[in-house]
Amino acid sequence: MSELLKITDLHVEYDTSEETVYAVNGVDLTVGRKETLGLVGETGAGKTTTALSVLRLLPHKIGRISKGSIIYDGEDLLAIKEKVFKKYRGKRISMIFQDPMTSLNPVIPIGKQVAEVIKLHNPDMTKAQIESRVDEMLEMVGIKANRKKDYPNQFSGGMKQRVVIAIALACEPELLIADEPTTALDVTVQAQVLAMMTDLKERLGTSMILITHDLGVVAETCDKVAVMYAGEIVESGTVEDIFGKGNHHPYTIGLFGSLPDLKDDKPRLSPIEGLMPDPTDLPKGCKFHPRCPHCSEKCRTEQPEVMVTNGHSLRCHLFSKEV
Ligand code: SF4
């Protein structure tokens, strides 16, 4: 699988008048063509900030990439002029946001909202061609084309998210970033929307970064997984590596321990004690050490290096060479 996106040593900071938030702290990620990467971790781990960095949508004057590179299809995304980059956003790289209720404009019919993105990236298309593409996209996501004049409030949450997906896929992007695309939906609708996204992705040959905290969704949808904590990737590998019986980062073990298991008759779950550290004042050494049951003196003072074995990476002293 050849590489489409390669993020190296990405650091992102948010500056406020009083302090600096260290949101992403040296992330390395790759996404191959037609591949789906699951980015998992608790709220505040830096998943969305990583995605927004790829699309260069960090909040103006507050968020900045302080270090690192993002190479997309051989091009340095951070070096491209904004005017040129606008042609990437929505056309080559698209994003689905978490809440369909706020992604759509409530006073514009849904068909017009799908047409907008098609028109923007295909200035040579005639009105009839755009209309036919709108119909095709709506039908593709399971909405009858004759409903294109309806407004977002005439649709359920799941149907609205289908419209958002139609907009994101209208220009057949090579990379789709889906940020918790089903979190705001009912469980049964979640399954339908996910199945539809996977099907469309296969049909259009799109690569995907799926941001989620739902490990069940990752197991069903992804080829590779990266587990994020306090702005770092602490473990990454194939789905088999992460869900298999081999070595795991204590944080990954904690994430799995927080899930109910129907086959296990344990009376209680084993949640990860404590909270994600304050990103303005990150702990020294391993950022997970205040919550880790295996914490040693070395963990408190020394940042662990990433160890990679057959593509499975772990950032933990337990697996460093000296141990
Ligand atoms: Fe735990 Fe130490 Fe590994 Fe960090 S480096 S996860 S504190 S064992």
Side-chain angles (χ1 to χ4, degrees):
M1 225 178 258
S2 67
E3 240 162 47
L4 179 64
L5 177 75
K6 184 172 171 65
I7 300 177
T8 310
D9 197 24
L10 184 72
H11 287 71
V12 185
E13 294 168 10
Y14 293 107
D15 292 318
T16 69
S17 52
E18 277 138 33
E19 52 201 3
T20 300
V21 174
Y22 299 95
V24 174
N25 305 299
V27 159
D28 295 318
L29 281 178
T30 54
V31 183
R33 289 174 201 279
K34 300 187 182 178
E35 185 175 73
T36 298
L37 168 76
L39 198 50
V40 299
E42 287 164 284
T43 302
K47 307 181 299 290
T48 301
T49 296
T50 304
L52 292 178
S53 305
V54 175
L55 279 161
R56 297 197 352 198
L57 285 176
L58 291 170
H60 188 50
K61 290 190 180 163
I62 298 172
R64 68 192 156 84
I65 295 173
S66 55
K67 201 176 161 197
S69 71
I70 304 177
I71 307 294
Y72 182 79
D73 201 14
E75 281 183 275
D76 182 354
L77 278 195
L78 303 181
I80 298 173
K81 287 207 169 83
E82 180 57 26
K83 208 172 152 195
V84 179
F85 193 75
K86 279 188 178 155
K87 293 183 185 153
Y88 281 65
R89 218 180 272 131
K91 169 86 177 156
R92 298 189 67 186
I93 310 172
S94 254
M95 185 153 176
I96 298 172
F97 293 92
Q98 191 177 123
D99 186 359
M101 325 299 167
T102 51
S103 301
L104 295 171
N105 188 327
V107 295
I108 300 179
I110 56 141
K112 219 168 165 190
Q113 299 191 49
V114 181
E116 217 166 81
V117 66
I118 300 171
K119 205 160 133 191
L120 181 73
H121 291 295
N122 301 281
D124 298 335
M125 265 193 176
T126 64
K127 219 175 157 198
Q129 283 171 323
I130 292 173
E131 279 310 305
S132 130
R133 180 80 181 135
V134 169
D135 293 356
E136 190 190 330
M137 286 315 297
L138 289 176
E139 296 280 352
M140 202 186 261
V141 296
I143 295 175
K144 293 239 177 317
N146 63 9
R147 293 204 61 193
K148 66 181 167 186
K149 293 208 168 100
D150 289 351
Y151 289 85
N153 70 320
Q154 293 171 275
F155 293 87
S156 65
M159 294 294 262
K160 280 196 199 93
Q161 194 60 307
R162 284 169 187 259
V163 177
V164 172
I165 293 168
I167 294 172
L169 295 176
C171 294
E172 299 193 3
E174 297 142 351
L175 177 65
L176 177 67
I177 302 176
D179 188 0
E180 307 264 9
T182 57
T183 305
L185 308 175
D186 295 341
V187 179
T188 46
V189 182
Q190 275 183 14
Q192 287 170 15
V193 170
L194 272 174
M196 187 197 69
M197 278 177 60
T198 311
D199 177 53
L200 289 177
K201 191 190 99 62
E202 299 283 313
R203 267 200 272 163
L204 302 175
T206 314
S207 304
M208 181 156 78
I209 298 178
L210 179 64
I211 298 175
T212 180
H213 52 251
D214 189 330
L215 289 164
V217 167
V218 170
E220 294 227 347
T221 343
C222 300
D223 304 299
K224 284 195 321 195
V225 189
V227 182
M228 218 169 161
Y229 184 80
E232 292 177 344
I233 305 294
V234 294
E235 181 168 357
S236 69
T238 60
V239 169
E240 292 76 23
D241 290 333
I242 306 298
F243 285 76
K245 285 204 164 70
N247 291 336
H248 293 296
H249 191 279
Y251 179 61
T252 311
I253 294 171
L255 286 181
F256 280 98
S258 309
L259 289 178
D261 185 349
L262 288 176
K263 291 181 206 139
D264 196 338
D265 57 3
K266 260 197 306 189
R268 297 190 74 83
L269 298 177
S270 320
I272 307 167
E273 298 293 335
L275 296 169
M276 183 83 76
D278 176 356
T280 64
D281 184 21
L282 290 167
K284 285 207 172 62
C286 169
K287 294 183 178 60
F288 188 58
H289 87 251
R291 303 172 78 183
C292 181
H294 307 286
C295 176
S296 66
E297 192 46 42
K298 188 179 180 184
C299 304
R300 289 190 194 95
T301 51
E302 274 182 48
Q303 161 85 327
E305 295 292 318
V306 177
M307 297 300 300
V308 186
T309 315
N310 299 326
H312 180 195
S313 85
L314 286 155
R315 187 190 277 276
C316 173
H317 287 310
L318 291 178
F319 309 108
S320 62
K321 272 184 188 143
E322 308 88 71
V323 177

